[in-house]
Amino acid sequence: MTKKWVKISVLCFAWYSSSSLNNVVGKHLLTRYPHPLTLTLIQLFSITIYSYPLIRWYLERAPLGITVPKSVYNYYIIPLAVGKFLASVASHVSIWKVPVSYAHTVKATMPLFTITLTRLLLGTHHSTLTYLSLIPIITGVSIASITEMNFNLIGLTTALLSTLAFSLQNIYSKQVLQKTKLHQFELLFILAKLSFLFFTPVWFLLDFNISYDVEIVFYLFFDGFLSFLQNILAFSFLNLVSPLGYSVANASKRIFIIGVSVVVFRNQVGFSNWVGMGVAVGGVFCYNYAKNWESVERKKVSLLPLNNNYV
């Protein structure tokens, strides 16, 4: 048990560190080189290149060994690949336009999007406690937005759009994994590869003629490696803990990233802004526990004996 917790702790720290460094490098790069399309494409290229040998080693077979039904490919995987690209571009635009700390505070609204989308698209009902847990999230993000010293409407809008897109990705990625026998690493590889292939022509039209120097190229590929690394560490961490444990750790990671970005970039953050961030992230913790309670209650109901009346 001790060895397991040591492994979990090391993985968690590595995940937090790579995610924070990825955001710091991305912000630094976009400040000097404001081309989120190129940054996104390099990330997708890096994930594709690094994932292939990892999948062969991890699964001990070719990554495309499983035949994905054409209907799943057309109706789920291709839209997911497009969504992955658009979500990443929107996310990069947000950290370009606003401080990383504020962008991640806005991204704390993901539970709100998840609850709304699962209700509209899948007809999923949630407990009153789960709906109530959204109130501090909305309140916190509102306070942070009102008091943000470097507020930018484009930054806010793209942060919300990326959160919406990532919420949709999470919902439909789970459906793909359920409908097929694909491993998470395989799905990550397929989506990154398709996204890269689909949007390379767009990059040629918009960013191909932009000048580069050695330092910019280094940061682009370093950022791509960090993006790949944090994806792999997140999957590895998820395999060792419960879904609730992962959700809580993910919320804590957001605090870690906010703290690191404020220290590195020396952003001016007022007291009210800190309060807004704290309330929003605290709301995410409340949401995680509410969802866990909801899941436990549903299991209890499903285990109740049927009330059969015998004559």
Side-chain angles (χ1 to χ4, degrees):
M1 181 63 71
T2 304
K3 289 183 178 180
K4 181 182 178 181
W5 281 108
V6 169
K7 187 176 182 181
I8 289 173
S9 300
V10 171
L11 266 177
C12 187
F13 180 75
W15 178 30
Y16 284 18
S17 300
S18 61
S19 297
S20 300
L21 188 55
N22 191 202
N23 278 271
V24 168
V25 170
K27 178 67 174 180
H28 174 73
L29 184 58
L30 288 167
T31 301
R32 292 189 53 200
Y33 179 80
H35 298 285
L37 181 65
T38 297
L39 181 59
T40 299
L41 207 68
I42 293 297
Q43 283 190 354
L44 295 171
F45 175 76
S46 300
I47 292 171
T48 304
I49 294 300
Y50 297 135
S51 292
Y52 185 80
L54 177 66
I55 292 170
R56 291 186 66 90
W57 171 80
Y58 191 83
L59 301 178
E60 297 181 350
R61 57 180 171 79
L64 300 180
I66 291 174
T67 302
V68 179
K70 188 175 181 180
S71 58
V72 173
Y73 210 89
N74 291 337
Y75 292 106
Y76 289 95
I77 291 182
I78 290 178
L80 277 172
V82 174
K84 182 176 182 61
F85 177 83
L86 296 177
S88 296
V89 171
S91 180
H92 289 141
V93 172
S94 70
I95 66 169
W96 168 32
K97 292 294 184 180
V98 296
V100 173
S101 56
Y102 177 62
H104 276 271
T105 303
V106 174
K107 289 177 182 179
T109 57
M110 184 171 285
L112 173 63
F113 286 108
T114 302
I115 289 293
T116 305
L117 291 171
T118 53
R119 181 72 180 89
L120 293 175
L121 300 176
L122 305 178
T124 305
H125 293 273
H126 302 278
S127 66
T128 302
L129 185 63
T130 300
Y131 288 118
L132 289 175
S133 69
L134 300 177
I135 295 176
I137 297 176
I138 298 170
T139 303
V141 172
S142 299
I143 294 172
S145 298
I146 293 170
T147 58
E148 174 56 45
M149 297 179 183
N150 298 300
F151 179 81
N152 179 282
L153 184 58
I154 295 176
L156 170 62
T157 304
T158 50
L160 288 171
L161 287 174
S162 69
T163 307
L164 170 63
F166 281 126
S167 297
L168 281 168
Q169 268 200 301
N170 291 338
I171 293 169
Y172 286 109
S173 291
K174 288 179 182 179
Q175 293 199 342
V176 171
L177 293 172
Q178 290 171 357
K179 292 176 181 292
T180 66
K181 298 299 182 181
L182 287 172
H183 189 273
Q184 295 99 317
F185 289 173
E186 289 182 288
L187 182 59
L188 176 66
F189 169 78
I190 293 171
L191 294 180
K193 182 186 69 172
L194 288 178
S195 296
F196 176 75
L197 293 175
F198 288 162
F199 290 96
T200 295
V202 179
W203 175 81
F204 269 104
L205 289 173
L206 299 177
D207 278 7
F208 178 69
N209 292 323
I210 296 169
S211 60
Y212 305 88
D213 58 40
V214 175
E215 186 179 359
I216 292 296
V217 172
F218 168 78
Y219 276 116
L220 280 170
F221 281 92
F222 183 43
D223 181 83
F225 172 75
L226 289 172
S227 178
F228 161 76
L229 184 62
Q230 70 162 317
N231 273 283
I232 297 304
L233 289 170
F235 280 129
S236 301
F237 184 79
L238 179 59
N239 287 333
L240 291 176
V241 298
S242 66
L244 175 63
Y246 178 80
S247 297
V248 172
N250 201 29
S252 301
K253 184 194 75 170
R254 203 170 297 284
I255 299 174
F256 192 88
I257 293 173
I258 289 172
V260 169
S261 69
V262 169
V263 171
V264 171
F265 295 111
R266 300 180 182 179
N267 299 333
Q268 290 184 334
V269 181
F271 176 74
S272 299
N273 200 235
W274 277 118
V275 170
M277 292 179 188
V279 171
V281 175
V284 176
F285 281 104
C286 294
Y287 167 81
N288 289 331
Y289 281 106
K291 286 296 293 178
N292 183 61
W293 177 85
E294 181 181 296
S295 177
V296 170
E297 290 301 309
R298 283 178 176 173
K299 287 180 181 178
K300 286 181 181 178
V301 171
S302 66
L303 292 174
L304 289 175
L306 295 175
N307 184 19
N308 293 320
N309 295 317
Y310 296 98
V311 178

